[in-house]
Amino acid sequence: MKEYKTITEISGPLVFVEVDEPVGYDEIVEIKLPDGSTKRGQVLESGEEIVSLQVFEGTDELDRNSSVRFLGETMKMPVTEDLLGRVLSGRGEPIDGGAEIVPEDRRDIIGSAINPHAREYPDEFIQTGVSAIDGMNTLVRGQKLPIFSGSGLPHNELALQIARQADVRDDIGEGDEEGEDEEFAVIFGAMGITQEEANEFLEEFERTGALERSVVFQNLADDPAVERIVTPRMALTTAEYLAFDKGYHVLVILTDMTNYCEALREIGAAREEVPGRRGYPGYMYTDLAELYERAGRIKGLEGSVTQIPILTMPGDDDTHPIPDLTGYITEGQIYIDRRLESEGREPPVDVLPSLSRLMDDGIGEGYTREDHGDVANQLYAAYAEGNDLRDLVNIVGREALSDRDNLFLDFADAFEDELVDQGWTTNRSLEETLGISWELLSTLPKSELKRIDDDFVEEYYRGEDEEEKEAEATA
Amino acid sequence: MSKAETAETEDEGRITNVSGPVVEAKGLDARMNDVVRVGEEGLMGEVIEIEGEVTTVQVYEETSGIAPGEPVVTTGSPLSVELGPGVLDSIYDGVQRPLDILEEEMGDFLDRGVDAPGIDLEKVWEFTPEVEEGDEIEEGDIVGTVPETESIDHKVMVPPDEGGTVADVNEGEYTVEDPVVVLEDGGEITMLQEWPVRKARPVERKQTPRTPLVTGQRILDTLFPIAKGGTAAIPGPFGSGKTVTQHQLAKWSDADIVVYVGCGERGNEMTEVIDDFPELEDPKTGKPLMSRTSLIANTSNMPVAARESCIYTGITLAEYYRDMGYDVALMADSTSRWAEAMREISSRLEEMPGEEGYPAYLAAALAEFYERGGRVETLGGRDGSISVIGAVSPPGGDFSEPVTQNTLRIVKTFWALDADLAERRHFPAINWNDSYSLYKSQLDDFFADEVDDDWAETRQWAVGVLDEEDELQEVVQLVGKDALPEDQQLTLEVARYIREVFLQQDAFHDIDTYCDLNKQFEMLRLIRKFNDLAFDALDAGVPVEEIQDVDSAERLFDIPTEENWEPLVEEIDEGLDDDFNELA
Ligand SMILES: Nc1ncnc2c1ncn2[C@@H]1O[C@H](COP(=O)(O)OP(=O)(O)O)[C@@H](O)[C@H]1O
Ligand SMILES: [Mg+2]
């Protein structure tokens, strides 16, 4: 392999090198610094004479005397089941002092698209034990469902609660015969988070024994930003291997996607590209899709890749390009809300803008329970109505409202108290969630439950309906 | 695409630069828009710029590892699709490679460098001629038919610019490449045509659309109908219901043929269609929906250049079936991803960017695409149409952005999705104040003839009530509902029935998912009947609370999900009379 000492320009994370032999697009390079240390990078554009590179470890200390070696292949992730239990750097190198990893295979981290014809449509319920999710924004195996949060909000707690409680092995759905012996793994990809945050995850994984079925990729806040471009790809390549080669049900938590996108922006700016909205590259949608679309299931294969990416919305603004483009790609989103957080709700999930697009196919008879869909719809409608009235009540006071309006106001409060605010350590079964839901709905008159099939109302409604009381009284 | 393989060529260029999907080559003697083979693996690409001796190519497959010095070879032909029996009941990528064949050849993940013809060249079809020896035939004439699927007869046509005197006709089983009609001048007509995707197929003339594309979606058919041959846009932020609406149209609209283009959206959404459509019944024929459908999928993680082409591939397939005299509906979800693909390629070419980085030709490209829709008299004198329905995904849900704005200038139906409605699970979340249809008046005759003379008038009444509600809501926000005078409270109540009974429609409910025109009309008529009786009662001094409690009005909520709705409508109709008689 030829070594070049022909660096012509260093600019931000980019390096330009003169070459006299052709270099493949996307190829990996190794850069040797005068002091003997090495950095890795990747070809961003390959011309006959000039090749531009992005350097993962950052360009600090690089100079014209550094030498560049093109490795003749694209970036690979060494994969093996032995990765379970290991902590790796954001570039996929072990940092836990453990044994060297002997790979079973080396996989291209770019990954190819799953042929839509080969996909299996996700419809297997995952019980997370969190009512706001299970009841109203149901997660299924193979889904990509991000958490939309803001800085300083407890998104990590929620992700941990889900990882801890998500019982993908214990199917309560009647649709699935196997259960117990299905294998479950967690892949944790950290991008630009603080050491403290990373420790939170690691300690929790250790405490619950989850670490031995986890692989941790860790790019911290003080690690080079460009490295963040490869971290999620390493994580997802490992996830696909475990899922589609080894039959694991893999849950991938990626945090914080906002830091990932900032790194993309930095590279775009360094390349002097025409920027898109708010300075982010025009191809950010496609780039994010290349990550998120790596969730799913494949016909005839055992495993699945479920993704929970976490992002902090700059300024809590969900029209910001990062949450906006994410929402356009993922199969729904869970919102963490600042008001609910300040009121001490645990988890402070705002169900109204939250959504699980795959819910409809994963719930109901044969999957969860026959009344699940109707109950969720009714809870949404009633909570939205009560929530709307809160503004009005601030202006005119409760007395000015009709009895009906007061009922809905009370409903909204009770909904947050009983259903949402379950606590970080409470693990609710779906039956419990639906039970609480019916208790709440039973505070409303039967005639208000228009979104629920009459038969279900008959079976589950527990309220003392006014009309019924009247009817009994006259009887 | 087999076109690319057909022409062998001598002109070989060399790659000089690779940047993502854009590759530059020197020494290539190709024409603009020619399909080329890139690199040792022969990846498929298209010439998009020629400047001096540098030819720029967009590549429809991943370019990792491709290096300067590798060859580029032109095929000498533009990007084309193959047209013939077998287009229906199939799923393609953005350059018409069948995804099921790719799966067989590459496995579960999409690899590169594999080619596959758009339609099966080996399969034999039963050809029944409609011409005989001695007939004079011209471009667009039908020479025979082939039962393509359970529900669709494929019309084999004389390709544009061809024709002559029939010398021989071959009835029976043939492959698409076998001649089925031989002309006296030696010309042959097969069941296979090829057509360059960027060029509209010729027609005799455009015609004014006069019949609605009936969708079974109440808010669409009644309030904002689209014509067969019309154009519509569905803009909305994520999660507001673009895709569900497009799927509903693909399932239930009374088109003969559906071309569904999944452009830069989710893989699972295409899988859903692949899984569902063979199971669902075409409401018109009772046959599997897939028999009238052709799917094109370039999901968001598939190569971006093929996203740019998938829209053209789709509209060309649609034109071909329109030429047979069919009513075709084309859904594109989402046109924004197509526009973004254009933007990405354009910025790699370092073209002068227009608004928000989109190329300056964005408006022209959109107009050209929608313009390929419409109702026409075809070559050969048939009546055919393409209805074009494009989803638009505005960043941040802000409709002032270039793709939405340029689309609005072209389309005549606008279904504006609304995040607020979606959040409160009012589906379809189509905002009735912002949406419009410019086809309403030209379709009124159809509805009067086919459904009821009062159709248009009843619709206007409903629109009026909703407008009034909109104004009243502003007051309610300030003082609460109970502070309003009784007649206004009643208007709010009527508006609530229109919204919750009529406008809301659950796409996932077995019955409610489709609502025929008569049912739509009867529902609105009953709500109006309630309105009239209620206001009479109010005038007669009945308090509004009592009116609101009328039992049979509550039962209006049962109609949407009732399969056997006619008796129920009758019951409620009578019930309303009885209830109000009692009140009086
Ligand atoms: N007509 C409808 N009936 C019931 N639910 C709907 C309807 N339209 C949309 N939804 C709900 O909204 C979600 C998002 O809709 P979708 O069409 O995927 O949005 P978009 O394409 O605009 O992002 C769906 O998953 C579904 O839960
Ligand atoms: Mg969509």
Side-chain angles (χ1 to χ4, degrees):
Chain A
M1 250 163 287
K2 195 159 177 182
E3 232 176 90
Y4 292 96
K5 274 205 172 177
T6 49
I7 293 179
T8 57
E9 188 185 334
I10 303 174
S11 151
L14 303 188
V15 170
F16 299 82
V17 192
E18 248 175 53
V19 294
D20 54 16
E21 276 175 20
V23 171
Y25 172 70
D26 260 354
E27 226 175 75
I28 291 302
V29 295
E30 203 171 84
I31 304 174
K32 205 183 258 159
L33 276 59
D35 67 3
S37 61
T38 61
K39 290 174 185 267
R40 280 201 294 171
Q42 185 181 11
V43 174
L44 282 184
E45 179 164 352
S46 175
E48 279 181 305
E49 281 148 27
I50 297 280
V51 169
S52 55
L53 314 171
Q54 61 183 2
V55 182
F56 297 132
E57 290 92 335
T59 46
D60 301 358
E61 292 172 33
L62 273 189
D63 63 12
R64 283 168 199 268
N65 293 322
S66 309
S67 64
V68 178
R69 232 159 42 99
F70 294 90
L71 301 186
E73 64 168 22
T74 51
M75 189 98 162
K76 303 279 196 286
M77 171 74 203
V79 287
T80 150
E81 256 179 297
D82 298 340
L83 283 170
L84 289 167
R86 302 300 300 269
V87 180
L88 314 173
S89 74
R91 292 190 306 283
E93 290 148 0
I95 51 170
D96 53 4
E100 201 182 310
I101 289 163
V102 185
E104 185 174 301
D105 197 5
R106 296 172 73 250
R107 296 276 164 92
D108 208 315
I109 67 160
I110 305 288
S112 326
I114 303 178
N115 185 330
H117 197 263
R119 278 184 187 269
E120 174 92 46
Y121 195 76
D123 62 1
E124 292 169 1
F125 170 61
I126 299 177
Q127 180 171 303
T128 67
V130 178
S131 292
I133 296 176
D134 294 349
M136 304 180 68
N137 297 288
T138 317
L139 176 68
V140 297
R141 273 182 190 163
Q143 184 170 12
K144 39 191 181 288
L145 187 64
I147 298 177
F148 282 16
S149 187
S151 50
L153 293 178
H155 38 266
N156 291 342
E157 279 82 341
L158 180 60
L160 278 170
Q161 187 173 18
I162 295 170
R164 192 170 60 234
Q165 298 178 170
D167 221 334
V168 272
R169 287 167 299 176
D170 179 19
D171 292 286
I172 71 156
E174 296 144 43
D176 207 318
E177 319 80 48
E178 319 122 283
E180 293 310 306
D181 53 350
E182 296 191 326
E183 298 199 77
F184 176 51
V186 176
I187 307 260
F188 179 68
M191 290 158 282
I193 65 172
T194 60
Q195 182 73 57
E196 196 180 331
E197 273 178 290
N199 287 346
E200 233 179 275
F201 278 94
L202 278 179
E203 280 161 20
E204 169 83 6
F205 284 170
E206 268 168 43
R207 192 179 64 75
T208 58
L211 191 58
E212 58 196 65
R213 49 184 173 86
S214 306
V215 189
V216 176
F217 291 83
Q218 195 167 278
N219 164 285
L220 298 179
D222 54 358
D223 287 331
V226 214
E227 184 182 296
R228 277 161 218 162
I229 302 296
V230 293
T231 306
R233 295 184 162 81
M234 296 264 168
L236 289 164
T237 304
T238 309
E240 281 172 350
Y241 168 80
L242 290 175
F244 303 129
D245 286 55
K246 299 293 166 185
Y248 285 81
H249 291 294
V250 185
L251 178 69
V252 184
I253 299 174
L254 299 172
T255 184
D256 179 333
M257 289 306 295
T258 302
N259 297 332
Y260 171 84
C261 293
E262 297 303 344
L264 269 190
R265 175 161 73 168
E266 195 181 316
I267 293 165
R271 294 183 70 184
E272 296 176 7
E273 293 167 348
V274 184
R277 244 175 111 226
R278 302 206 204 173
Y280 293 89
Y283 49 79
M284 194 157 87
Y285 175 82
T286 303
D287 188 280
L288 286 172
E290 280 166 8
L291 301 180
Y292 297 143
E293 278 287 329
R294 291 174 82 172
R297 288 169 60 201
I298 292 178
K299 284 198 184 93
L301 297 184
E302 267 300 301
S304 59
V305 176
T306 307
Q307 278 189 39
I308 303 194
I310 297 173
L311 56 88
T312 45
M313 301 183 280
D316 289 354
D317 174 12
D318 67 0
T319 68
H320 183 282
I322 298 171
D324 189 54
L325 295 180
T326 297
Y328 271 121
I329 303 163
T330 53
E331 285 146 346
Q333 65 281 332
I334 303 291
Y335 278 78
I336 304 265
D337 181 67
R338 211 169 279 282
R339 173 182 68 83
L340 292 171
E341 153 70 5
S342 69
E343 289 170 13
R345 311 288 184 191
E346 296 175 351
V349 171
D350 184 1
V351 298
L352 291 178
S354 298
L355 168 71
S356 165
R357 293 164 185 268
L358 300 184
M359 174 165 180
D360 300 296
D361 290 276
I363 63 169
E365 208 173 342
Y367 296 92
T368 55
R369 206 172 85 179
E370 72 276 8
D371 58 327
H372 192 165
D374 285 2
V375 166
N377 278 336
Q378 188 68 62
L379 287 172
Y380 269 113
Y383 179 54
E385 184 158 356
N387 195 44
D388 278 350
L389 289 164
R390 284 175 171 160
D391 290 337
L392 181 60
V393 87
N394 286 336
I395 306 174
V396 299
R398 274 219 174 220
E399 311 72 47
L401 295 189
S402 66
D403 292 345
R404 181 175 181 279
D405 287 351
N406 274 304
L407 265 184
F408 277 88
L409 265 174
D410 291 338
F411 177 88
D413 291 341
F415 177 87
E416 290 169 8
D417 282 341
E418 310 293 331
L419 195 94
V420 176
D421 188 9
Q422 67 182 79
W424 295 118
T425 53
T426 308
N427 185 358
R428 285 189 186 147
S429 70
L430 183 73
E431 282 294 324
E432 286 174 90
T433 295
L434 290 176
I436 296 166
S437 303
W438 275 107
E439 260 168 46
L440 292 169
L441 292 174
S442 299
T443 62
L444 301 173
K446 258 188 201 173
S447 58
E448 292 291 347
L449 306 186
K450 299 213 171 65
R451 309 226 179 183
I452 306 185
D453 193 286
D454 291 343
D455 293 344
F456 303 148
V457 176
E458 233 18 78
E459 184 166 352
Y460 296 106
Y461 187 81
R462 320 196 191 136
E464 290 190 39
D465 195 85
E466 290 303 320
E467 283 164 38
E468 262 178 31
K469 266 193 287 183
E470 267 169 44
E472 274 164 35
T474 50
Chain B
M1 294 293 311
S2 73
K3 183 78 220 176
E5 293 170 331
T6 49
E8 281 305 319
T9 175
E10 46 316 319
D11 311 300
E12 208 177 271
R14 293 278 148 198
I15 296 178
T16 55
N17 195 283
V18 187
S19 167
V22 173
V23 166
E24 285 172 8
K26 278 187 186 164
L28 182 67
D29 186 15
R31 291 169 306 174
M32 191 67 177
N33 294 120
D34 272 1
V35 170
V36 294
R37 294 284 159 186
V38 177
E40 309 290 354
E41 291 172 74
L43 307 186
M44 187 176 162
E46 181 185 2
V47 175
I48 53 172
E49 194 178 80
I50 300 174
E51 214 183 290
E53 58 168 350
V54 179
T55 306
T56 308
V57 172
Q58 61 176 350
V59 184
Y60 294 120
E61 304 181 72
E62 281 302 326
T63 52
S64 289
I66 304 295
E70 291 188 43
V72 180
V73 181
T74 180
T75 63
S77 353
L79 184 65
S80 305
V81 284
E82 286 166 342
L83 302 167
V87 164
L88 296 179
D89 194 6
S90 53
I91 168 162
Y92 295 119
D93 76 355
V95 289
Q96 212 205 5
R97 296 182 303 178
L99 286 174
D100 50 347
I101 307 286
L102 295 189
E103 187 186 353
E104 277 167 30
E105 302 205 356
M106 311 173 174
D108 298 327
F109 292 85
L110 290 167
D111 203 347
R112 62 184 193 189
V114 176
D115 207 352
I119 54 184
D120 192 336
L121 301 176
E122 328 265 84
K123 183 164 175 173
V124 288
W125 300 92
E126 179 70 37
F127 176 76
T128 310
E130 289 190 0
V131 291
E132 44 192 57
E133 219 182 297
D135 284 355
E136 291 296 325
I137 53 175
E138 294 177 11
E139 57 174 4
D141 285 350
I142 291 171
V143 298
T145 62
V146 171
E148 182 176 359
T149 64
E150 281 181 65
S151 50
I152 299 296
D153 269 341
H154 194 101
K155 314 271 166 66
V156 180
M157 296 172 288
V158 181
D161 291 332
E162 289 181 32
T165 313
V166 175
D168 195 14
V169 177
N170 296 325
E171 179 164 2
E173 302 208 319
Y174 294 98
T175 71
V176 292
E177 289 179 312
D178 295 330
V180 285
V181 171
V182 182
L183 301 177
E184 277 181 1
D185 65 4
E188 290 177 345
I189 293 172
T190 66
M191 291 183 251
L192 178 68
Q193 294 191 21
E194 275 172 20
W195 194 262
V197 297
R198 296 185 195 278
K199 188 171 155 198
R201 284 175 65 86
V203 299
E204 205 61 58
R205 71 177 65 86
K206 281 229 166 189
Q207 309 191 80
T208 311
R210 299 246 176 249
T211 48
L213 181 75
V214 177
T215 66
Q217 311 303 302
R218 291 187 286 269
I219 187 165
L220 304 187
D221 292 342
T222 301
L223 294 193
F224 311 112
I226 175 177
K228 285 202 175 86
T231 49
I234 318 178
F238 63 81
S240 56
K242 295 179 293 297
T243 303
V244 173
T245 306
Q246 294 276 42
H247 281 191
Q248 288 296 92
L249 293 171
K251 286 177 188 167
W252 307 124
S253 67
D254 66 343
D256 301 311
I257 305 287
V258 169
V259 177
Y260 193 97
V261 187
C263 177
E265 296 285 309
R266 301 178 184 84
N268 277 327
E269 288 174 350
M270 294 316 292
T271 307
E272 189 181 4
V273 177
I274 300 169
D275 287 355
D276 285 358
F277 277 36
E279 310 276 306
L280 291 169
E281 267 181 22
D282 179 346
K284 230 168 123 172
T285 61
K287 300 283 162 36
L289 262 186
M290 211 47 214
S291 308
R292 67 166 193 185
T293 309
S294 189
L295 301 174
I296 294 157
N298 174 281
T299 59
S300 55
N301 54 340
M302 281 157 77
V304 75
R307 191 162 314 154
E308 193 272 335
S309 69
C310 69
I311 291 282
Y312 296 102
T313 299
I315 193 82
T316 310
L317 299 185
E319 284 174 341
Y320 177 61
Y321 283 90
R322 170 207 64 195
D323 290 348
M324 295 179 202
Y326 286 121
D327 290 317
V328 184
L330 177 133
M331 289 94 203
D333 184 13
S334 154
T335 59
S336 294
R337 306 303 167 216
W338 171 51
E340 286 163 10
M342 283 191 259
R343 176 171 69 183
E344 186 169 339
I345 303 289
S346 151
S347 93
R348 299 224 189 221
L349 291 179
E350 295 179 1
E351 288 175 343
M352 184 67 163
E355 224 182 328
E356 297 197 15
Y358 287 103
Y361 48 79
L362 172 71
L366 282 166
E368 211 179 292
F369 164 61
Y370 282 103
E371 200 45 39
R372 287 175 76 171
R375 180 173 159 229
V376 304
E377 184 190 327
T378 67
L379 297 182
R382 291 172 294 279
D383 191 342
S385 70
I386 305 176
S387 314
V388 182
I389 301 134
V392 184
S393 317
D398 177 0
F399 289 0
S400 67
E401 58 90 38
V403 181
T404 314
Q405 285 306 312
N406 283 308
T407 303
L408 281 186
R409 257 175 243 136
I410 308 159
V411 300
K412 292 193 160 177
T413 317
F414 178 56
W415 298 323
L417 292 169
D418 181 325
D420 261 0
L421 290 173
E423 236 178 64
R424 61 195 62 231
R425 277 25 179 195
H426 173 111
F427 289 121
I430 295 171
N431 183 307
W432 48 91
N433 294 313
D434 298 347
S435 302
Y436 60 79
S437 162
L438 301 181
Y439 295 110
K440 265 194 247 179
S441 53
Q442 72 207 58
L443 300 176
D444 277 350
D445 283 346
F446 173 93
F447 289 114
D449 292 345
E450 301 291 322
V451 191
D452 197 289
D453 283 337
D454 289 339
W455 175 278
E457 204 240 328
T458 309
R459 174 189 65 217
Q460 278 326 112
W461 167 78
V463 170
V465 175
L466 291 169
D467 284 348
E468 217 176 318
E469 181 195 36
D470 197 38
E471 283 164 27
L472 291 177
Q473 280 301 350
E474 285 172 25
V475 186
V476 172
Q477 291 303 316
L478 297 174
V479 297
K481 198 158 48 187
D482 285 8
L484 293 182
E486 287 202 316
D487 60 333
Q488 295 187 348
Q489 288 187 38
L490 197 52
T491 300
L492 288 180
E493 184 74 357
V494 174
R496 188 173 73 93
Y497 281 116
I498 297 178
R499 280 188 291 107
E500 295 185 8
V501 174
F502 188 79
L503 296 183
Q504 279 191 21
Q505 188 171 357
D506 186 355
F508 301 106
H509 189 282
D510 287 344
I511 305 300
D512 200 22
T513 185
Y514 177 82
C515 185
D516 77 38
L517 293 179
N518 287 311
K519 187 173 175 184
Q520 297 188 24
F521 178 75
E522 285 299 313
M523 286 173 68
L524 215 46
R525 184 184 67 78
L526 279 187
I527 298 174
R528 191 177 186 187
K529 174 164 182 164
F530 166 76
N531 173 84
D532 296 349
L533 291 171
F535 274 97
D536 286 348
L538 196 67
D539 285 344
V542 181
V544 72
E545 293 80 28
E546 282 180 37
I547 297 176
Q548 284 170 351
D549 274 350
V550 162
D551 278 344
S552 38
E554 284 293 315
R555 298 198 53 200
L556 289 168
F557 281 95
D558 298 337
I559 308 178
T561 54
E562 178 58 55
E563 185 168 20
N564 191 12
W565 56 274
E566 277 144 325
L568 180 62
V569 161
E570 216 165 289
E571 240 174 76
I572 296 176
D573 197 334
E574 284 164 18
L576 283 171
D577 286 329
D578 295 345
D579 288 348
F580 278 99
N581 273 337
E582 249 171 64
L583 282 184

